[in-house]
Amino acid sequence: MSSEIDVHLGRRLRRRRRLLGLTQQQLAAVCGVRFQQIQKYECAANRMSAARLWQLAEVLEVPVSYFYEGLSKAQREQVLASEGGGEMFARKETRDLIQAYYQLGERPRRRLLDLAKSLNGEAEG
């Protein structure tokens, strides 16, 4: 049984894929899955994992937030709560950081991500 959120994500996936002129087969090949899997994502027969959404966002050259655009506030909160990180993502600081991150261009985003990873490494060491 698919939820309205899964349907929304599938529609956004199909829209972006078509906008880039990619077939399901081409997208599947890049993601390392069969085209049927992309087909199932697009019609919401299969739910996309966070890792798969991340991969698709990279391949389709959009931020992960692209898939959630157009959802109501209640639907977005439902997504965050169901992903287990709801408490962390419910914090204003986290939302502000994510919003600021995606307002940066690709190169500054990558540099910021590298910086964050390096700081995390220092904290562990």
Side-chain angles (χ1 to χ4, degrees):
M1 182 173 154
S2 61
S3 76
E4 63 183 272
I5 294 171
D6 295 324
V7 171
H8 179 83
L9 296 177
R11 285 181 182 150
R12 297 292 289 170
L13 172 61
R14 177 180 290 124
R15 181 181 193 189
R16 181 65 181 172
R17 176 183 59 77
R18 287 180 174 170
L19 185 68
L20 295 176
L22 296 172
T23 65
Q24 289 177 338
Q25 185 72 36
Q26 290 168 324
L27 181 57
V30 174
C31 292
V33 299
R34 295 177 183 261
F35 83 91
Q36 291 94 336
Q37 188 62 42
I38 300 299
Q39 196 173 45
K40 288 177 181 181
Y41 290 148
E42 288 185 356
C43 69
N46 283 7
R47 183 169 278 179
M48 290 181 261
S49 69
R52 182 67 71 205
L53 272 174
W54 185 272
Q55 180 187 36
L56 289 166
E58 290 286 314
V59 170
L60 298 173
E61 300 176 344
V62 292
V64 173
S65 62
Y66 163 83
F67 294 103
Y68 296 98
E69 289 172 8
L71 289 176
S72 70
K73 183 177 181 181
Q75 290 170 318
R76 287 192 308 271
E77 289 172 357
Q78 178 186 348
V79 169
L80 292 173
S82 70
E83 290 179 347
E87 190 173 310
M88 177 179 56
F89 286 104
R91 293 173 46 195
K92 184 178 181 337
E93 176 186 35
T94 304
R95 292 191 311 269
D96 290 347
L97 179 62
I98 291 170
Q99 183 176 18
Y101 176 81
Y102 283 113
Q103 288 175 348
L104 296 171
E106 181 181 352
R107 188 165 185 230
R109 274 199 320 260
R110 292 194 186 278
R111 292 179 67 201
L112 181 58
L113 180 59
D114 290 343
L115 174 62
K117 286 178 179 179
S118 71
L119 292 173
N120 189 36
E122 289 175 14
E124 293 172 0

